[in-house]
Amino acid sequence: MDPRLTPANSRIAHESLRGKVDAPAYTQGTWRRVGTGVVDILKAPGGRRNRQALFGERLLHLEDHDGFAFVQAKKDGYVGYVASDRLMDDAQATHVISAPGSHLYPAPDFKQHEVDSLSFGARVTVTGMTNRLSETDTGQFVPTAHLAPVGAPLGDAVTVAELFLGTPYLWGGNSRAGIDCSGLVQAALLAAGHDCPGDSDMQETLGTGLAKDAPLERGDLLFWKGHVALVADQTRMIHANAFHMAVAYEEIDAGIARIQSQGDGPVTARRRL
């Protein structure tokens, strides 16, 4: 079992793993939501960031221990630890942030000091809408122009990825403040209506494989060991990468040559959804 997707640690395991994983205790867990703009999902309490979750995303809360909650993300099954005080009660999201970024305000007045920043893909529960600012169930307000109903089409995957152009590269990042290659692909595919796991090696199972000489189309995926890019058109790809330290376009042929020359190997897979 992949530890990134297995809801078990040395103290507790999800009830579904009874008989498969030995644990001192088992739990069904409790659904909670992320209560801050973005939160790191850590490999271990106080440890390295593996991924991130955005405001309003649902996390199955399995355990609290020394100030950290052991959780599993609803969107992709990713398991890890988040600071316990970053969680809030569960609720059904009604809208998502469809702009690259937005803000939460304490009152229906955009001249107020913002209380948090929200990334594309953050989820909110709207209780009342106005022409300018809509109220959420937390008693805060978000610009109505930045909202789209949950499930509304937000464009194809490349169009969504283009919203992140210039976003700083951040290992394990999933937000407009910082994102990595697999985080960009996941954000783009989820918004385009495709299920998508969190890491590039998991994403390499998506769709169907393409022959090396097959013409590439918009939306195809290119994989290297530890890296993934979206094909924007027959000559360009868009990806979050440590060469540009940002989300950027790059010529496909030049990028393939650059990545191989820097020691990261050839393209390992070409996939089409």
Side-chain angles (χ1 to χ4, degrees):
M1 290 183 285
D2 190 330
R4 296 170 294 180
L5 303 176
T6 304
N9 61 25
S10 62
R11 295 174 299 276
I12 198 136
H14 188 262
E15 184 64 39
S16 63
L17 295 176
R18 190 183 291 270
K20 302 175 184 178
V21 170
D22 289 329
Y26 298 86
T27 180
Q28 291 286 359
T30 303
W31 287 105
R32 307 288 302 281
R33 283 181 297 167
V34 176
T36 190
V38 61
V39 65
D40 289 338
I41 299 179
L42 308 174
K43 185 175 182 180
R48 188 187 72 181
R49 174 180 57 244
N50 273 352
R51 293 250 53 92
Q52 292 179 320
L54 305 178
F55 186 92
E57 286 189 11
R58 299 182 77 204
L59 302 177
L60 185 61
H61 183 191
L62 301 166
E63 176 201 41
D64 268 316
H65 186 74
D66 290 341
F68 287 90
F70 182 53
V71 299
Q72 184 172 36
K74 170 70 174 177
K75 72 177 179 183
D76 58 14
Y78 219 100
V79 167
Y81 296 84
V82 303
S84 297
D85 61 2
R86 299 296 185 91
L87 300 179
M88 62 181 178
D89 291 341
D90 191 29
Q92 188 68 39
T94 62
H95 292 77
V96 297
I97 300 299
S98 56
S102 189
H103 295 103
L104 274 176
Y105 295 93
D109 178 3
F110 61 81
K111 295 182 180 179
Q112 295 271 340
H113 287 290
E114 73 279 7
V115 297
D116 211 340
S117 296
L118 302 181
S119 174
F120 176 90
R123 303 171 72 84
V124 295
T125 302
V126 171
T127 58
M129 300 190 75
T130 70
N131 290 331
R132 303 292 292 276
L133 291 163
S134 292
E135 187 171 6
T136 72
D137 68 327
T138 61
Q140 297 162 326
F141 296 81
V142 64
T144 303
H146 293 170
L147 296 175
V150 169
L154 299 177
D156 73 335
V158 176
T159 298
V160 175
E162 289 168 340
L163 295 175
F164 288 85
L165 282 167
T167 297
Y169 179 83
L170 182 69
W171 177 270
N174 282 86
S175 82
R176 186 63 171 81
I179 202 164
D180 67 7
C181 64
S182 57
L184 178 68
V185 166
Q186 185 184 57
L189 293 189
L190 289 177
H194 302 282
D195 290 335
C196 184
D199 287 344
S200 61
D201 63 315
M202 302 173 180
Q203 294 167 356
E204 199 166 340
T205 64
L206 296 172
T208 57
L210 297 173
K212 290 183 178 180
D213 58 351
L216 293 172
E217 296 180 1
R218 183 179 176 89
D220 289 344
L221 297 169
L222 297 177
F223 291 91
W224 294 258
K225 184 179 180 179
H227 189 59
V228 60
L230 268 167
V231 173
D233 53 44
Q234 289 188 338
T235 62
R236 296 183 306 160
M237 60 186 178
I238 182 171
H239 58 153
N241 64 91
F243 178 75
H244 297 95
M245 285 306 293
V247 176
Y249 287 120
E250 189 168 6
E251 294 295 318
I252 292 174
D253 290 344
I256 289 173
R258 175 186 63 75
I259 290 170
Q260 185 151 14
S261 70
Q262 68 190 28
D264 292 324
V267 172
T268 57
R270 302 162 187 252
R271 310 286 293 184
R272 178 167 296 161
L273 297 178

